[in-house]
């Protein structure tokens, strides 16, 4: 029987009512006590890393997760990570980046309703996550939620309350779980290599990355304001396929100033699906010429975290050569 480590980090799944609203209180041992059927799926050891609403999870928490998982991997067949839904996709992207070559499953799950709530989705999600983890069919980082298996590279929270809370952005789901049976998607190809030597730990991050969502009328000087605050990188959520306002050149000039200062500016789309492409419209071509990096098919979560990771590996960009290296690191895995 496969041995699985269940790590708890808080979130809705562990929450109970308090005088000021839901807050994480339950330990993972409670899940095991009330779900004896998990013992038929795998041998489980449980532990709590911390107990937080996932809105409060920061890059240093990702590092704690990655280091603990890396330390435990030689002793278990996989890890199930209970996590709040609000930032679960960011954490999945972070673990994907910080544990390259991962050859065992790291499965994130949680719920839209607390474990103790009536008609909760927590029981199904936790059971499904353990099944996927114990199957050994999905090495790497995945989110298992509402019967869907989504690669950590392309997951995005899509609904605030619906049980089908996550979408796979610009990439097919890896599979589904129905009535306890796992069905792999034949069209899915793992977006990450599986190393025969096992995972590496590359957990350096630079969290000084900010996302700036464009709205009609926003002036490029806003990008200068952001740059002057000491950020290390910027994500521009642009219009459509990557439209950057170019009528007065203020954005183009601000992007150029960022590039010359060693601050990468990556462009994604505000659309929920479809890639960014700076090569279609003149406004995108000009942005690329000014130094903007196209985020291509990455989800917004993945692009933001991947830029933090690339900057962390480089210890900051200083010149055009470093900027080109960061550009490569964003898309090489």
């Amino acid at each position: 029987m496969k041995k699985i480590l269940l790590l708890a980090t808080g979130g809705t799944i562990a929450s109970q009512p308090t005088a000021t609203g839901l807050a994480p209180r339950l330990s993972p041992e409670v899940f095991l006590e009330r779900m004896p059927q998990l013992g038929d799926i795998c041998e489980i050891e449980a532990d709590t890393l911390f107990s937080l609403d996932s809105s409060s999870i920061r890059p240093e928490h990702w590092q704690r997760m990655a280091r603990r998982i890396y330390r435990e991997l030689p002793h278990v067949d996989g890890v199930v990570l209970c996590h709040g839904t609000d930032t679960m996709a960011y954490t999945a992207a972070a673990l994907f980046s910080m544990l390259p070559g991962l050859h065992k499953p790291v499965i994130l799950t949680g719920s839209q309703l607390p474990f103790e709530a009536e008609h909760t989705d927590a029981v199904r999600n936790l059971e499904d996550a353990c099944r996927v983890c114990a199957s050994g069919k999905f090495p790497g980082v995945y989110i298992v939620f509402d019967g869907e298996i989504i690669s950590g590279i392309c997951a995005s929270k899509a609904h605030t309350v619906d049980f089908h809370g996550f979408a796979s952005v610009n990439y097919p789901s890896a599979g589904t779980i129905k009535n306890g049976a796992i069905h792999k998607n034949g069209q899915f190809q793992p977006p990450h290599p599986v190393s025969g030597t096992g995972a590496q730990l590359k957990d350096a991050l630079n969290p000084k990355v900010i996302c700036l969502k464009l709205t009609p009328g926003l002036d490029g000087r806003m990008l200068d304001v952001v740059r002057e605050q000491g950020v290390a990188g910027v994500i521009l959520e642009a219009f459509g396929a990557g439209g950057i306002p170019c009528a007065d050149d203020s954005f183009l000039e601000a992007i150029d100033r960022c590039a010359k200062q060693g601050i990468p500016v990556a462009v994604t789309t505000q659309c929920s699906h479809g890639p960014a492409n700076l090569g279609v419209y003149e406004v995108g071509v000009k942005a690329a010429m000014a130094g903007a990096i196209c985020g291509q098919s990455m989800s917004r979560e993945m692009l933001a975290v991947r830029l933090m990771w690339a900057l962390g590996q480089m210890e900051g960009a200083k010149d055009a050569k470093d900027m080109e290296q960061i550009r490569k690191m964003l898309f090489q895995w």
Side-chain angles (χ1 to χ4, degrees):
M1 183 172 285
K2 297 291 182 68
K3 183 176 181 179
I4 302 301
L5 175 64
L6 175 64
L7 288 178
T9 66
T12 298
I13 192 170
S15 289
Q16 292 180 314
T18 74
T20 53
L22 291 173
R25 293 290 186 269
L26 294 180
S27 72
E29 287 78 12
V30 173
F31 304 155
L32 301 187
E33 290 171 6
R34 301 183 189 178
M35 294 181 64
Q37 68 269 30
L38 294 181
D40 297 327
I41 299 172
C42 54
E43 178 185 345
I44 304 181
E45 176 184 342
D47 196 14
T48 300
L49 273 176
F50 39 80
S51 190
L52 294 171
D53 186 297
S54 72
S55 298
S56 298
I57 286 180
R58 300 167 54 87
E60 53 264 36
H61 295 108
W62 299 337
Q63 291 171 320
R64 285 180 60 185
M65 294 181 216
R67 292 165 187 166
R68 177 65 184 274
I69 291 169
Y70 181 74
R71 189 169 71 246
E72 298 288 351
L73 280 175
H75 313 295
V76 297
D77 296 298
V79 176
V80 171
L81 189 73
C82 288
H83 196 289
T85 59
D86 287 350
T87 61
M88 187 186 295
Y90 287 96
T91 295
L95 294 176
F96 170 90
S97 294
M98 292 190 289
L99 295 168
L102 188 62
H103 66 303
K104 293 182 179 180
V106 173
I107 309 298
L108 285 76
T109 196
S111 61
Q112 297 282 48
L113 290 177
F115 183 83
E116 296 178 324
E118 188 176 7
H119 306 305
T120 182
D121 56 331
V123 173
R124 178 195 178 183
N125 289 344
L126 187 54
E127 185 172 326
D128 284 350
C130 289
R131 287 189 184 278
V132 171
C133 193
S135 75
K137 297 178 180 179
F138 298 91
V141 180
Y142 291 86
I143 287 176
V144 170
F145 210 90
D146 193 41
E148 193 165 11
I149 307 166
I150 302 174
S151 171
I153 196 174
C154 51
S156 183
K157 186 169 183 184
H159 205 290
T160 58
V161 295
D162 193 273
F163 282 176
H164 196 69
F166 287 86
S168 184
V169 176
N170 299 330
Y171 210 81
S173 296
T176 57
I177 312 101
K178 295 182 180 179
N179 299 319
I182 299 170
H183 304 275
K184 294 188 74 173
N185 184 348
Q187 296 180 325
F188 175 80
Q189 293 295 325
H192 41 72
V194 177
S195 169
T197 59
Q200 303 174 62
L201 180 63
K202 296 186 176 181
D203 63 347
L205 297 167
N206 186 330
K208 295 182 179 180
V209 171
I210 191 168
C211 293
L212 181 62
K213 187 169 186 173
L214 302 188
T215 53
L218 189 67
D219 192 276
R221 286 173 292 186
M222 182 62 67
L223 183 54
D224 284 320
V225 172
V226 168
R227 174 178 57 84
E228 291 164 1
Q229 297 305 306
V231 299
V234 179
I235 307 293
L236 287 183
E237 292 190 22
F239 305 116
I244 304 291
C246 294
D248 62 1
D249 289 339
S250 66
F251 262 106
L252 300 180
E253 291 168 356
I255 290 171
D256 179 67
R257 284 189 286 272
C258 284
K260 288 178 177 176
Q261 195 173 320
I263 301 172
V265 177
V267 177
T268 186
T269 171
Q270 295 179 17
C271 299
S272 58
H273 294 277
N277 188 341
L278 298 184
V280 177
Y281 296 97
E282 182 183 42
V283 290
V285 171
K286 286 185 175 181
M289 291 175 63
I293 300 170
C294 182
Q296 301 179 22
S297 296
M298 282 196 198
S299 66
R300 283 165 287 194
E301 294 92 336
M302 182 64 185
L303 184 58
V305 172
R306 192 71 181 177
L307 186 54
M308 291 183 198
W309 178 83
L311 287 164
Q313 305 307 299
M314 293 288 296
E315 296 185 358
K318 301 177 181 65
D319 53 32
K321 184 178 179 181
D322 285 346
M323 292 283 283
E324 183 58 31
Q325 180 63 20
I326 286 175
R327 185 189 300 264
K328 291 179 179 178
M329 291 177 72
L330 285 176
F331 303 101
Q332 289 180 347
W333 44 67

